[in-house]
Amino acid sequence: MVTNMRTTTLRGGVEMPLIGFGTFQIWQQEAAREAVSQALDAGYRLIDTAAGYFNEEGVGRAIRQSSVPREQIVLTSKLWPTDASYAGAKVAVQRSLNHLGVDYIDVYLLHQALGDYYGAWRALTEMQQAGYIRSIGVSNFNAGRLYDLAQFSGVVPAVNQIELNPWRQQRATRKTAAKLGTVIEAWSPFAQGRDGIFSNSVITTIAARHHVTTAQVILRWATQQGIIVIPKSVHRQRMDANLAATDFDLTEAEIAEIARLDRYPDDPGAVNSPQLIERLLAIDPAGKHE
């Protein structure tokens, strides 16, 4: 179990571990409960879920059954775009609280820059003030949408959770986030294993130099730059290995080597097609849960 967890502090004071546990695609409640239980036992203290993952009940059950005190766990959930309105967000936050079986959610994010996310954002600020949420942020917001929301709402998102890995490094969005004081959180830090990321010669050479795995190098490359990562695994050995990825440091030269692997250096960030929006809006977290 890791005891020297490195952290970063969000706007408002929430202390976030730099390595968390992601639960996307763990659809069944019992599987989610088991995975989160194992993660907490391994030493994870940041658990990430979402209404759109349909596993909040299992995640919440694991947290309630754990011997880890609730106040030591940073729990994240997210608002699905079908609930993106002022009234919809109020209902959705309460629904997530009920599904999770908790009194508060540590970090709550707008899952997509879709729908009336301005109205939803206003609702989240009120829910935060009422104590139901400790910190609010966004997910999948590109640089422009992030800056727009921060400037015109008057409330800067504490977090922007985006796809980020050595293949897609999101420089524009990271630059804007740094200007605003928004912490970047990376989903898909391993690019879902695509395009030989675990066998890339640059990364494997660095891994051999430090006597660690390529996965650990990828996670350390992100966390050493202050980026939170939320890798997912249902295998305890990988959970342990991922969590140990802050036990060494890369050199500036090694970070620069990985920076050159960026395949989309001019990437403006998430841009949703009409077809993708249709698919997203066909998902309804208010519907049937297992």
Side-chain angles (χ1 to χ4, degrees), residues 69-222:
R70 171 67 183 91
E71 63 271 16
Q72 294 182 17
I73 300 170
V74 179
L75 174 61
T76 299
S77 196
K78 310 178 193 75
L79 180 84
W80 194 246
T82 51
D83 292 313
S85 67
Y86 177 80
K90 289 285 186 87
V91 172
V93 170
Q94 191 59 59
R95 186 193 311 133
S96 284
L97 288 166
N98 292 340
H99 285 162
L100 290 161
V102 296
D103 296 326
Y104 65 92
I105 297 170
D106 297 276
V107 182
Y108 197 83
L109 312 178
L110 300 179
H111 208 146
Q112 304 280 345
L114 296 174
D116 178 17
Y117 62 84
Y118 262 92
W121 188 242
R122 184 161 53 92
L124 296 193
T125 64
E126 293 179 6
M127 297 294 274
Q128 181 184 23
Q129 291 165 1
Y132 295 107
I133 303 167
R134 294 180 64 209
S135 188
I136 59 175
V138 298
S139 178
N140 299 306
F141 273 52
N142 61 29
R145 291 301 90 205
L146 177 64
Y147 193 77
D148 170 69
L149 182 64
Q151 292 301 307
F152 289 99
S153 74
V155 179
V156 177
V159 176
N160 187 14
Q161 187 182 115
I162 57 176
E163 180 184 8
L164 192 149
N165 50 65
W167 293 164
R168 186 181 295 276
Q169 299 185 23
Q170 298 261 29
R171 300 181 191 200
T173 302
R174 286 164 61 190
K175 182 178 180 180
T176 298
K179 180 178 180 179
L180 293 171
T182 299
V183 173
I184 291 292
E185 185 173 21
W187 62 263
S188 192
F190 300 136
Q192 299 179 25
R194 294 189 302 265
D195 302 325
I197 196 167
F198 292 123
S199 58
N200 175 267
S201 61
V202 170
I203 300 174
T204 56
T205 298
I206 294 172
R209 192 179 298 144
H210 290 274
H211 307 289
V212 297
T213 68
T214 52
Q216 288 173 321
V217 168
I218 292 168
L219 296 179
R220 189 65 186 124
W221 165 79

Side-chain angles (χ1 to χ4, degrees), residues 53-75:
Y53 298 170
F54 294 97
N55 63 13
E56 287 178 316
E57 294 95 327
V59 169
R61 197 175 306 131
I63 289 172
R64 295 194 307 275
Q65 292 174 354
S66 173
S67 61
V68 179
R70 171 67 183 91
E71 63 271 16
Q72 294 182 17
I73 300 170
V74 179
L75 174 61

Side-chain angles (χ1 to χ4, degrees), residues 233-246:
S233 178
V234 295
H235 303 290
R236 177 58 185 265
Q237 186 175 2
R238 290 179 187 168
M239 291 182 190
D240 292 339
N242 289 341
L243 198 57
T246 58

